[in-house]
């Protein structure tokens, strides 16, 4: 693993270009889209440095601005979600979309970038509009059977649109690309419902995480629940491996770090903490957050499938089990591993190619899990660099670690480099 | 009166038997009284008339004494009957008194009897009453006990009810709590959302106000500086109906592709599952069919046969169906047939289980099926037992053989082993023994030689002694005044002659040893007074090492030895140390051999 030097960035704004060629950093002087709330987004070109574009929305401000998948349009969402303006950078045309919905995830592009689903709300009813991204032609517009639509998400194969309702009502609706309702799923009533959903990359599974600290998996053939994953405080009767991060005294390493070519599976690196495997039964540290507050910080908050759809990583609660990451095996239908960190887990992400999970807890270390084992790596930079979030490069060979004001690149060892 | 009684008693002590023999009345007056009550007097009278009388004319006195006795025993000792004066009849007064007393007694006794009777009746009625009441109370007790148990039972059930109700209450409370928490969370969520909306509304109003105030509206525009044209020079297309249709078409194509892919996957899965089902069916049929030859005319077997035939038929059918494309009916048939087979298999297994249980309970007289199966079962059991026995015998013989082998083997092996280990030692010992024997032989030889030498020495000593004696004798005899100066020369010659082979010393010619010694002996007789010099002595004694001594042979040495012994006796005459030196010389002589 090689680490680069630190680069400046601001506000954790860091995105990879879709083809993985360019990394956009939020910092003055580089390709920047917007930092809300800015009135005038500006666009620069990397290949044609003379090209410059300025979009003026008038007196109204913008809440967000984003690229379309083909990179030729810019979508601006105005303040108060009054409308979405689609600016074409090629032919300077403008399209307006009225009544977009302000919700958790009101807009989603399909994986191939051909279609866009947008949630709208008119006269106290929810609608979904499906646009063709080529020319922003409205393909379908249909009403949804939700009380208060919270989010939309395309399946990776682009044929099914999952729509979920507000947390006051547990409901997931599945619509086909042409707007037909395929199925509805509701696990229970009255208690707080869905927090978020995630599709498996093969589109076979839909994982729904909820406030009752469970994740339910639906299958794509019958849209019925095939598995329910619990996050109990007392892990006893599973074949899972529980890794606990244990801080140990610093080890003096005499090797030259920059020249060391170390694979991910070995842990010869200068680690100041290591994982030890705990024997079951294991007690998970649970904090009881205030349940009377709105949007309580309980329930499974983070959810991600691995690239081969085999593993699902979950984090139960911002507050109730903050230090744990649970890894589930979809093939076996059970818990594969539990990682217990010394601090609250801030972010985790799967390698786009391999079943490898990278996570960070806001300290100076990077943690990696794979079915072979767990490793904790200290980021070897001077000063205090706290890893607050991370991104994988689409090739799976490198990681971008984001700190408060800096970022660091981590290069993984690949087979060719050895 | 008492004296009289006593006197009469002593005089006429009648035995009860005598009385009874006289009167024929049994001697139990009290019973008599008990039995005869009011009619006692009558009966007495009767008895008196019927039986032989108590008293006769001859036995008056006896009777009188007897009656007096009885009266005394009854406590009427004061009244005594007596004969009249003259002896003809009794004195009326005492008799009457006695009678009267007796009547009184009788009356009293009767009263007592009556009282006792009444008492007894009372008692018996009391007893009855008590028994009745006892039984009544018993019944009551039973009744109350039953009531009690019933009440207990009722109480227990009520307690159970209470518990269940409490549990229900608890669960209901819990549910109520849960619902309350849900309500509260929902309420807080609603409040939150409402507040958010209100805030947004407020912001909107503000903005609207702002806009109304501002009025000046900036034009929406997009400025592109240095536009980049398309690489192929084409321009963007207008939105037309054709475009829309194309989009629709593309969308449907995408959907159709997805469905087709899914259907393909499902088809593959379907065929796999069908194969599995077919396999299962084949297996089931094969499991069920072997039962055909074994069972004979059993009802269950008929069904099995049917099953087998059915199975085979269905298999053929199914295979035919398989060849054709999967149609709904074929699938249904397959699943139905598999279900049927499975049911039959289950029934068969259940029947087998029940049969096994029946066989294990041998006292049951089963139906025809049971007997048949039992026979089969028994045959099997016999066969297995036989096999078991065979195996056991085999094992036993093996054990015996093993023991046979192991026991002698042990000694042999032990011997062998011990032999192996000690072989080396043995050989070494043999070698040493051989050496030892050799040495022993050598020592024997030496010892022999030594003994021979010692014997010879003894002999020679003896001879020497003889010679000495003769020489002394001769000398003594030949002690003459003629002194011969030749003596020292003769001594010398003697000594040299005695040395024999010593060429150096010999000046005079050397005659044979013995004769020389003789002559030597003879010559010194003449000059015996001359004492040889010390050097000569030493030389003679061979104390001075002379080189020529060793070069001589054994004979020479022997000769020297003998001559030496002779020479040595001479100085013995003069000093006594010759023995030691002789011995030491002897040793010296011995050693080179």
């Amino acid at each position: 693993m090689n680490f680069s030097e630190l680069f400046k960035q601001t506000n954790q704004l860091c995105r990879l270009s879709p083809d993985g060629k360019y990394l956009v950093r939020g910092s003055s002087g580089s390709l920047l889209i917007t930092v809300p709330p800015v009135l005038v987004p500006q666009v620069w070109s990397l290949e044609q440095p003379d090209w410059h574009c300025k979009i003026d929305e008038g007196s109204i401000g913008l809440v967000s601005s984003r690229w379309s998948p083909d990179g030729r349009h810019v979508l601006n969402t105005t303040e108060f979600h009054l409308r979405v303006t689609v600016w074409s950078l090629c032919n300077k045309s403008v399209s307006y979309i009225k009544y977009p919905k302000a919700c958790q995830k009101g807009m989603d592009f399909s994986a191939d970038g051909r279609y866009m689903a947008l949630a709208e709300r008119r006269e106290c009813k929810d609608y979904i509009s499906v646009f063709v991204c080529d020319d922003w032609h409205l393909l379908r517009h249909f009403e949804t059977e939700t009380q208060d639509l919270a989010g939309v998400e395309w399946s990776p194969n682009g044929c099914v649109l999952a729509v979920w309702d507000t947390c006051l009502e547990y409901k997931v609706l599945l619509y086909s690309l042409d707007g037909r309702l395929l199925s509805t799923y509701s696990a229970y009533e009255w208690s707080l419902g869905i927090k978020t959903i995630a599709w498996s990359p093969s589109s076979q599974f839909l994982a729904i995480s909820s406030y009752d600290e469970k994740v339910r998996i639906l299958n794509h053939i019958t849209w019925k629940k095939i598995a329910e994953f619990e996050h109990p405080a007392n892990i006893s009767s599973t074949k899972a491996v529980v890794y606990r991060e244990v801080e140990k005294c610093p080890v003096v390493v005499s090797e030259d770090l920059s020249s060391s070519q170390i694979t991910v599976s070995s842990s010869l690196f200068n680690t100041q903490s290591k994982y030890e495997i705990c024997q079951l039964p294991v007690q998970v540290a649970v904090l009881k957050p205030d349940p009377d507050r709105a949007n309580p910080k309980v329930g499974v908050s983070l959810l991600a499938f691995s690239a081969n759809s085999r593993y699902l990583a979950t984090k139960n609660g911002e507050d109730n089990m903050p230090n744990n990451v649970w890894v589930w095996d979809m093939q076996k239908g059970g818990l594969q591993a539990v990682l217990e960190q010394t601090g609250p887990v801030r972010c985790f992400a799967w390698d786009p190619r391999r079943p490898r999970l990278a996570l960070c807890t806001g300290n100076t270390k990077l943690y990696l899990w794979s079915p072979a084992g767990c490793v904790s790596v200290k980021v070897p930079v001077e000063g205090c660099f706290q890893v607050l979030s991370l991104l994988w490069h689409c090739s799976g060979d490198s990681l971008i670690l984001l700190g408060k004001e800096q970022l660091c690149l981590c290069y993984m060892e690949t087979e060719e480099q050895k | 009166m008492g004296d009289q009684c006593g006197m009469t008693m002593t005089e006429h002590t009648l035995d009860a038997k005598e009385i009874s023999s006289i009167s024929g009345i049994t001697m139990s007056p009290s019973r008599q009284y008990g039995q005869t009550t009011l009619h006692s007097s009558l009966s007495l009278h009767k008895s008196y008339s019927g039986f032989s009388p108590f008293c006769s004319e001859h036995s008056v006195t006896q009777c009188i004494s007897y009656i007096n006795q009885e009266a005394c025993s009854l406590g009427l000792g004061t009244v005594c009957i007596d004969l009249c004066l003259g002896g003809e009849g009794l004195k009326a007064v005492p008799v009457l008194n006695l009678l009267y007393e007796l009547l009184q007694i009788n009356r009293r006794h009767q009263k007592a009897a009556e009282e006792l009777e009444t008492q007894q009746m009372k008692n018996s009625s009391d007893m009855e009453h008590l028994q009745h009441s006892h039984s009544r109370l018993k019944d009551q007790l039973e009744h109350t006990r039953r009531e009690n148990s019933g009440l207990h039972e009722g109480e227990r059930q009520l307690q159970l009810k209470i518990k269940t109700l409490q549990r229900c209450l608890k669960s209901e409370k819990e549910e109520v709590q849960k619902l309350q928490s849900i309500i509260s969370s929902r309420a807080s969520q609603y409040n939150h959302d409402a507040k958010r909306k209100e805030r947004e509304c407020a912001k909107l109003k503000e903005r609207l106000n702002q806009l109304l105030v501002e009025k000046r509206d900036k034009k929406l525009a997009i400025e592109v500086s240095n536009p980049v044209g398309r690489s192929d020079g084409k321009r963007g297309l207008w939105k037309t109906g054709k475009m829309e249709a194309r989009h629709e078409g593309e969308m449907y194509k995408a959907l159709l592709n997805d469905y087709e892919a899914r259907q393909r996957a499902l088809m593959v899965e379907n065929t796999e599952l069908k194969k599995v089902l077919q396999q299962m069916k084949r297996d089931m049929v094969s499991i069920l069919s072997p039962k055909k030859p074994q069972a004979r005319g059993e009802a269950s077997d008929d069904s099995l046969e049917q099953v087998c035939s059915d199975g085979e038929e269905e298999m053929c059918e199914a295979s035919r169906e398989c060849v054709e494309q999967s149609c709904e009916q074929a699938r249904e048939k397959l699943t139905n047939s598999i279900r049927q087979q499975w049911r039959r298999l289950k029934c068969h297994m259940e029947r087998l289980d029940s049969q096994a249980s029946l066989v294990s309970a041998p006292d049951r007289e089963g139906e025809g099926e049971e007997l048949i199966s039992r026979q089969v079962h028994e045959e099997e059991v016999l066969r297995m037992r036989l096999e078991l026995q065979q195996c056991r015998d085999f094992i036993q013989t093996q054990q015996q053989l093993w023991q046979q082998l192991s026991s002698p083997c042990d000694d042999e092996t032990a011997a062998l082993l011990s032999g192996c280990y000690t072989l080396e030692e043995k050989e070494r010992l043999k070698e040493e023994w051989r050496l030892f024997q050799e040495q022993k032989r050598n020592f024997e030889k030496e010892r022999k030689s030594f003994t021979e030498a010692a014997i010879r020495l003894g002999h020679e000593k003896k001879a020497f002694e003889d010679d000495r004696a003769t020489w002394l004798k001769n000398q003594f005899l030949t002690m003459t005044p003629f002194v011969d100066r030749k003596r020292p020369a003769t001594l010398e010659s003697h000594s040299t002659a005695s040395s024999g082979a010593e060429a150096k010393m010999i000046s005079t010619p050397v005659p044979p040893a013995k004769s020389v010694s003789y002559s030597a002996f003879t010559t010194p007789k003449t000059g015996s007074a001359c004492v040889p010099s010390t050097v000569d002595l030493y030389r003679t004694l061979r104390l001075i090492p002379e080189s020529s001594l060793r070069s001589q042979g054994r004979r020479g040495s022997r000769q020297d030895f003998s001559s030496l012994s002779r020479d040595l006796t001479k100085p013995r005459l003069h000093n006594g140390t010759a023995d030691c030196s002789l011995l030491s010389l002897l040793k010296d002589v011995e050693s080179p051999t």
Side-chain angles (χ1 to χ4, degrees), chain A residues 288-337:
Chain A
K288 271 273 178 206
D290 187 9
D292 289 332
R293 287 182 58 222
N295 296 318
K297 296 200 188 297
V298 289
V300 182
S301 52
L302 292 179
L303 202 58
F305 273 98
S306 69
N308 58 1
S309 306
R310 171 121 187 230
Y311 298 105
L312 173 68
T314 63
K315 184 189 157 199
N316 185 16
E318 292 93 348
D319 281 355
N320 55 344
M321 286 179 196
N323 299 2
N324 291 61
V325 174
W326 308 63
V327 182
W328 307 84
D329 186 343
M330 297 307 298
Q331 250 181 25
K332 291 183 214 154
L335 188 59
Q336 168 86 1

Side-chain angles (χ1 to χ4, degrees), chain B residues 110-173:
Chain B
Q110 274 180 8
K111 239 189 240 165
E114 272 175 32
E115 274 174 24
L116 281 172
E117 265 181 36
T118 49
Q119 192 68 39
Q120 202 229 351
M121 266 167 53
K122 254 195 231 166
N123 282 344
S124 64
S125 68
D126 277 344
M127 175 90 106
E128 250 182 64
H129 175 72
L130 281 171
Q131 271 180 352
H132 281 141
S133 63
H134 174 70
S135 60
R136 193 173 38 84
L137 286 169
K138 244 199 208 171
D139 287 338
Q140 229 177 39
L141 183 69
E142 263 303 312
H143 183 67
T144 45
R145 274 212 190 114
R146 253 181 269 131
E147 262 181 38
N148 198 19
S149 61
L151 286 169
H152 270 301
E153 188 62 38
E155 195 187 313
R156 198 176 57 81
Q157 280 179 356
L158 285 171
Q159 291 254 356
L160 276 172
K161 238 192 205 176
I162 285 171
K163 275 196 193 121
T164 50
L165 283 171
Q166 276 177 344
R167 246 183 280 134
C168 284
L169 181 69
K170 214 167 83 168
S171 62
E172 289 296 319
K173 274 190 184 157

Side-chain angles (χ1 to χ4, degrees), chain A residues 37-65:
Chain A
V38 160
L39 287 175
V40 183
Q42 306 187 48
V43 187
W44 282 265
S45 162
L46 286 172
E47 275 156 17
Q48 304 268 348
D50 297 335
W51 191 91
H52 170 233
C53 167
K54 211 159 73 165
I55 298 167
D56 198 349
E57 285 278 351
S59 48
I60 199 150
L62 290 176
V63 169
S64 71
S65 182

Side-chain angles (χ1 to χ4, degrees), chain B residues 406-464:
Chain B
S406 58
S407 42
C409 197
D410 283 338
D411 299 336
E412 279 178 24
T413 46
L416 271 171
L417 282 169
S418 61
C420 300
Y421 294 141
T422 58
L423 190 67
E424 267 187 350
E425 285 186 36
K426 268 190 196 160
E427 294 203 343
R428 234 186 306 120
L429 279 170
K430 269 188 207 157
E431 190 69 19
E432 283 182 17
W433 186 256
R434 199 174 53 74
L435 282 166
F436 171 70
Q437 292 286 358
E438 237 182 77
Q439 280 177 7
K440 197 173 164 189
R441 261 181 270 127
N442 291 339
F443 285 139
E444 281 288 333
K445 266 189 241 161
E446 281 176 23
R447 196 155 52 80
K448 261 190 223 151
S449 60
F450 288 144
T451 46
E452 280 175 20
I455 291 166
R456 248 183 283 122
L457 180 67
H459 286 312
E460 283 177 9
K461 209 172 170 182
K462 198 170 143 229
F464 175 73

